[in-house]
């Protein structure tokens, strides 16, 4: 699959005049079209809903776009709950899926009427202690352990993950929750990350549907919804084929018809909790080449760094790079593309074949729309970049300003140590 930017060099040059690089740019048209496709893929299920994983792209402008398509929010922290509340998401518009959860976050989730998804059986007692009761609608997160395979390919290792309850704990949790007043139950599981295969969701659905039938039969609990969570990935590399969401939706429907309907459970709602699939391809980190270095290797230094995109430095993740205006030029130069952090892993690409890069060239780093800006930090005193939205009409809106030094020093506002510092 050829990877092409969703914006032209000319448009970027125009944007840069007002908003200096680096910045994250999002494609409103692409986001909307993708959200519509997802709705269509699961339209066969009357109760279907996507709960967008706020952690992937925690920006109110983005959340409001997704709200137009009936999406709720999946939150994992107090601030994500606060943002959802401020944007008008209320009650069961919000799914609260947290782990190692502070009491105050359980309290806020309950106050907002969110669906609480318990990560561990011990959290039943914690939740009851925090809010004084067990909600009538409650969900439990499932972890079957072992490895998760599709055919002979190992997709991930749930047994090594800190999330979820064992099979035995799920049955015990349902019985306890039912005895404490819960009436409507959900099941949630996340067994593999960033899968680029149409088989993952249908196979996961089969596992959860079979569990739901057994849980309802043996505990008498009414299973109302099954949350397939995330895991549908995107093709970061040009040689990968993208997932076909229509085929995925159809695969889940077949499993639903084969397992749930014969068990008299054809009223169960299907939920998803996608982040990367919803936003990943519709965001890019735009940066400018500012240095070149010729030592034991050839280096191109850009004005972005791992503060702006942590994934390559953190676990060697691949992000495709387009040198704007040189899309059709031969990739006959081998570079490490680096940022300026005092860490040797601050590299967006290692030994990457690219066209010859000159200082001043604009580099478009693909697929940063999810887990891009969101994973930013301030090491070396670096400041987070702006986020911009390329709107459907071709205009650009700033949806988060770039940090300023005063933002970096703001948490010292309780003392006078830096009172004489001059900054804007």
């Amino acid at each position: 699959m050829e990877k092409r930017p969703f914006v032209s060099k000319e448009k970027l040059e125009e944007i840069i005049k007002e908003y200096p690089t680096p910045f994250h740019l999002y494609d409103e048209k692409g986001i909307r079209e993708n959200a519509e496709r997802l709705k269509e893929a699961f339209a066969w299920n009357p109760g279907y809903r996507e709960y967008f994983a706020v952690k992937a792209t925690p920006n109110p402008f983005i959340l409001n776009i997704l709200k137009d398509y009936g999406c709720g929010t999946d939150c994992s922290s107090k601030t994500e709950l606060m943002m959802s509340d401020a944007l008008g998401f209320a009650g069961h518009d919000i799914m609260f899926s947290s782990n190692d959860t502070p009491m105050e976050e359980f309290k806020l989730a309950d106050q907002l009427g969110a669906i609480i998804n318990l990560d561990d059986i011990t959290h039943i007692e914690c939740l009851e202690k925090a809010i004084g009761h067990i909600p009538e609608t409650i969900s439990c997160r499932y972890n079957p352990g072992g490895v998760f395979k599709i055919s002979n390919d190992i997709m991930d290792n749930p047994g090594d993950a800190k999330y979820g309850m064992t099979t035995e704990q799920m049955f015990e949790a349902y019985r306890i929750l039912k005895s404490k007043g819960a009436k409507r139950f959900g099941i949630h599981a996340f067994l593999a990350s960033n899968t680029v295969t149409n088989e993952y969701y249908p196979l996961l659905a089969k596992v959860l549907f079979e569990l739901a039938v057994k849980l309802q039969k043996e505990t008498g609990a009414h299973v109302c919804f099954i949350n397939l969570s995330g895991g549908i990935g995107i093709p970061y590399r040009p040689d990968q084929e993208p997932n076909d969401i229509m085929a995925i939706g159809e695969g889940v429907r077949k499993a639903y018809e084969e397992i749930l309907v014969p068990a008299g459970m054809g009223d169960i709602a299907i939920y998803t909790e996608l982040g990367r699939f919803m936003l990943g391809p519709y965001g890019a980190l735009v940066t400018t080449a500012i240095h070149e270095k010729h030592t034991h290797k050839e280096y191109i230094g850009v004005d972005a760094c791992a503060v702006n995109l942590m994934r390559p430095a953190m676990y060697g993740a691949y992000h495709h790079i387009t040198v704007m205006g040189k899309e059709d030029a031969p990739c006959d130069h081998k570079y490490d593309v680096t940022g300026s952090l005092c860490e040797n892993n601050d590299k967006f690409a290692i030994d990457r074949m690219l066209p010859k890069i000159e200082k001043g060239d604009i580099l478009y780093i693909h697929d940063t729309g999810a887990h891009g800006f969101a994973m930013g930090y301030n090491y070396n005193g670096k400041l987070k970049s702006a986020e911009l939205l390329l709107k459907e009409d071709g205009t650009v809106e700033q949806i988060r300003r770039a940090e300023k030094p005063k933002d970096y020093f703001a948490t010292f506002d309780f003392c006078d140590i830096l009172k004489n510092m001059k900054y804007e």
Side-chain angles (χ1 to χ4, degrees):
M1 183 189 77
E2 186 178 15
K3 297 185 81 71
R4 287 276 180 174
F6 58 73
V7 63
S8 68
K9 178 187 177 186
E10 292 72 27
K11 184 65 179 180
L12 284 178
E13 289 173 335
E14 177 187 324
I15 295 169
I16 290 169
K17 289 176 183 177
E18 185 171 359
Y19 303 105
T21 56
F23 53 76
H24 283 272
L25 182 67
Y26 303 97
D27 175 22
E28 181 182 13
K29 183 173 184 291
I31 294 169
R32 289 187 179 277
E33 289 175 350
N34 192 50
E36 189 62 49
R37 280 195 299 271
L38 178 66
K39 275 185 66 175
E40 184 182 350
F42 287 91
W44 55 266
N45 182 258
Y48 171 73
R49 192 165 200 189
E50 155 67 6
Y51 285 86
F52 175 69
V54 177
K55 60 181 171 286
T57 317
N59 189 294
F61 292 84
I62 298 295
L63 296 182
N64 272 335
I65 291 174
L66 298 177
K67 195 177 184 184
D68 289 345
Y69 298 87
C71 295
T73 58
D74 168 64
C75 301
S76 58
S77 68
K78 179 179 179 179
T79 48
E80 290 178 357
L81 286 168
M82 292 169 67
M83 183 182 292
S84 296
D85 180 43
L87 293 173
F89 293 93
H92 289 186
D93 295 340
I94 304 170
M95 181 79 65
F96 183 58
S97 295
S98 176
N99 70 94
D100 193 19
T101 308
M103 291 288 198
E104 65 175 19
E105 297 190 4
F106 276 139
K107 289 179 183 178
L108 179 57
D110 182 63
Q111 289 166 10
L112 297 179
I115 299 173
I116 295 174
N117 182 36
L118 296 175
D119 179 68
D120 185 65
I121 193 168
T122 64
H123 290 183
I124 298 173
E125 182 180 349
C126 295
L127 176 63
E128 193 171 27
K129 185 176 179 180
I131 67 176
H133 67 281
I134 292 297
E136 291 191 353
T137 301
I138 194 83
S139 179
C140 293
R141 185 167 184 168
Y142 177 53
N143 183 334
V147 296
F148 188 77
K149 292 183 178 181
I150 296 178
S151 299
N152 293 320
D153 295 328
I154 295 176
M155 304 305 293
D156 220 321
N157 185 4
D160 197 39
K162 67 175 181 174
Y163 310 108
M165 305 183 199
T166 66
T167 303
E168 295 76 15
Q169 288 172 342
M170 287 290 289
F171 283 86
E172 184 181 354
Y174 266 45
R175 291 188 180 100
I176 295 170
L177 290 165
K178 189 170 182 286
S179 73
K180 292 179 178 292
K183 296 179 179 178
R184 294 175 294 276
F185 291 79
I187 304 172
H188 172 287
F190 180 87
L191 302 187
S193 179
N194 193 38
T195 62
V196 189
T197 169
N198 296 333
E199 296 179 63
Y200 168 63
Y201 245 27
L203 186 55
L204 170 64
K206 184 174 184 293
V207 170
L208 298 187
F209 294 168
E210 290 174 347
L211 176 64
V213 172
K214 292 177 183 176
L215 280 167
Q216 185 154 303
K217 181 180 179 180
E218 295 185 26
T219 69
H222 180 205
V223 180
C224 293
F225 66 86
I226 293 174
N227 189 336
L228 301 175
S229 69
I232 298 179
I234 62 173
Y236 284 102
R237 295 178 179 272
D239 59 354
Q240 293 177 306
E241 286 295 321
N243 283 315
D244 181 346
I245 196 61
M246 302 307 293
I248 290 170
E250 177 61 14
V252 174
R253 186 196 66 78
K254 287 181 179 178
Y256 190 99
E257 296 287 341
E258 291 171 5
I259 300 167
L260 293 180
V261 172
M265 299 171 67
D267 60 342
I268 287 180
I270 299 299
Y271 297 160
T272 56
E273 192 181 280
L274 301 169
R276 195 190 317 262
F277 177 81
M278 297 298 289
L279 262 294
Y282 312 108
L285 175 59
V286 181
T287 183
T288 302
I290 58 173
H291 288 288
E292 56 183 83
K293 183 173 183 177
H294 315 285
T295 54
H296 304 290
K297 301 182 77 172
E298 294 295 301
Y299 296 96
I300 293 294
V302 296
D303 59 5
C305 63
V307 161
N308 308 108
L309 180 62
M310 189 182 192
R311 296 183 73 253
M314 187 177 184
Y315 39 76
Y318 179 95
H319 281 266
H320 199 64
I321 297 175
T322 295
V323 183
M324 299 303 292
K326 300 181 180 180
E327 292 87 343
D328 299 318
C331 295
D332 52 5
H333 285 65
K334 184 186 291 187
Y335 295 113
D336 281 13
V337 179
T338 77
S340 58
L341 292 188
C342 299
E343 294 291 338
N344 196 44
N345 66 347
D346 183 19
K347 297 178 180 181
F348 295 111
I350 297 174
D351 294 333
R352 184 76 59 87
M353 298 305 296
L354 293 165
K356 180 173 174 55
I357 299 174
E358 312 284 351
K359 285 190 284 187
D361 279 348
I362 302 169
L363 275 62
Y364 176 106
I365 302 178
H366 291 252
D367 301 318
T368 72
H371 311 291
F373 179 94
M375 294 177 73
Y377 55 111
N378 289 113
Y379 182 58
N380 275 181
K382 295 292 185 178
L383 304 176
K384 296 176 188 175
S385 67
E387 291 181 292
L388 310 176
L389 181 66
L390 178 62
K391 305 192 78 170
E392 290 185 289
D393 63 5
T395 61
V396 171
E397 180 180 10
Q398 179 177 253
I399 59 174
R400 190 192 302 264
R401 67 164 173 81
E403 284 186 335
K404 301 176 181 180
K406 67 179 181 181
D407 300 312
Y408 181 75
F409 295 114
T411 48
F412 296 108
D413 59 2
F414 63 92
C415 66
D416 295 329
I417 296 173
L418 301 175
K419 67 180 180 180
N420 295 320
M421 180 177 291
K422 304 298 182 184
Y423 58 76
E424 295 182 359

